[in-house]
Coordinates of all heavy atoms in Angstrom, one line a residue:
C218 N -1.3 14.4 1.4 CA -2.3 15.2 0.8 C -2.9 16.3 1.7 O -2.8 16.2 2.9 CB -3.6 14.3 0.3 SG -3.1 13.1 -0.9
V219 N -3.4 17.3 1.0 CA -4.2 18.3 1.8 C -5.6 17.7 2.0 O -6.2 17.1 1.2 CB -4.3 19.6 0.9 CG1 -5.2 20.6 1.6 CG2 -2.9 20.2 0.7
S220 N -6.1 17.9 3.2 CA -7.4 17.4 3.6 C -8.5 18.4 3.1 O -8.2 19.5 2.8 CB -7.5 17.3 5.1 OG -7.5 18.5 5.8
H221 N -9.7 17.9 3.2 CA -10.8 18.8 2.9 C -10.9 19.9 3.8 O -11.2 21.1 3.3 CB -12.1 17.9 3.0 CG -13.3 18.7 3.3 ND1 -13.9 19.6 2.4 CD2 -14.2 18.8 4.4 CE1 -14.9 20.2 2.8 NE2 -15.2 19.7 4.1
Q222 N -10.7 19.7 5.1 CA -10.8 20.8 6.0 C -9.7 21.9 5.8 O -10.0 23.1 5.8 CB -10.7 20.3 7.4 CG -10.9 21.3 8.5 CD -10.7 20.8 9.9 OE1 -9.9 19.9 10.1 NE2 -11.5 21.3 10.9
Q223 N -8.5 21.4 5.5 CA -7.4 22.4 5.2 C -7.7 23.1 3.9 O -7.5 24.3 3.9 CB -6.1 21.6 5.1 CG -5.6 21.0 6.4 CD -4.3 20.2 6.1 OE1 -4.2 19.4 5.1 NE2 -3.3 20.3 7.0
A224 N -8.1 22.5 2.8 CA -8.4 23.2 1.6 C -9.5 24.2 1.8 O -9.4 25.3 1.3 CB -8.8 22.1 0.5
S225 N -10.6 23.7 2.5 CA -11.7 24.6 2.7 C -11.3 25.9 3.4 O -11.8 27.0 3.1 CB -12.8 23.9 3.4 OG -13.9 24.8 3.6
Q226 N -10.5 25.7 4.5 CA -10.1 26.8 5.3 C -9.0 27.7 4.6 O -9.1 28.9 4.7 CB -9.5 26.3 6.6 CG -9.4 27.4 7.7 CD -10.7 28.0 8.1 OE1 -11.7 27.2 8.1 NE2 -10.8 29.3 8.4
L227 N -8.1 27.1 3.9 CA -7.1 27.8 3.2 C -7.7 28.8 2.2 O -7.2 29.9 2.0 CB -6.1 26.9 2.6 CG -4.9 27.6 1.8 CD1 -4.0 28.3 2.8 CD2 -4.2 26.6 1.0
L228 N -8.7 28.3 1.4 CA -9.3 29.1 0.3 C -10.6 29.8 0.8 O -11.4 30.2 0.0 CB -9.6 28.2 -0.8 CG -8.4 27.5 -1.5 CD1 -8.8 26.7 -2.7 CD2 -7.3 28.6 -1.9
H229 N -10.7 29.9 2.1 CA -11.9 30.6 2.7 C -11.9 32.0 2.1 O -11.0 32.8 2.3 CB -11.9 30.6 4.2 CG -13.2 30.9 4.8 ND1 -14.0 30.0 5.3 CD2 -13.7 32.1 5.1 CE1 -15.1 30.5 5.9 NE2 -14.9 31.8 5.7

Side-chain angles (χ1 to χ4, degrees):
C218 292
V219 173
S220 68
H221 155 65
Q222 185 181 32
Q223 287 175 321
S225 179
Q226 194 64 35
L227 180 69
L228 298 181
H229 196 98

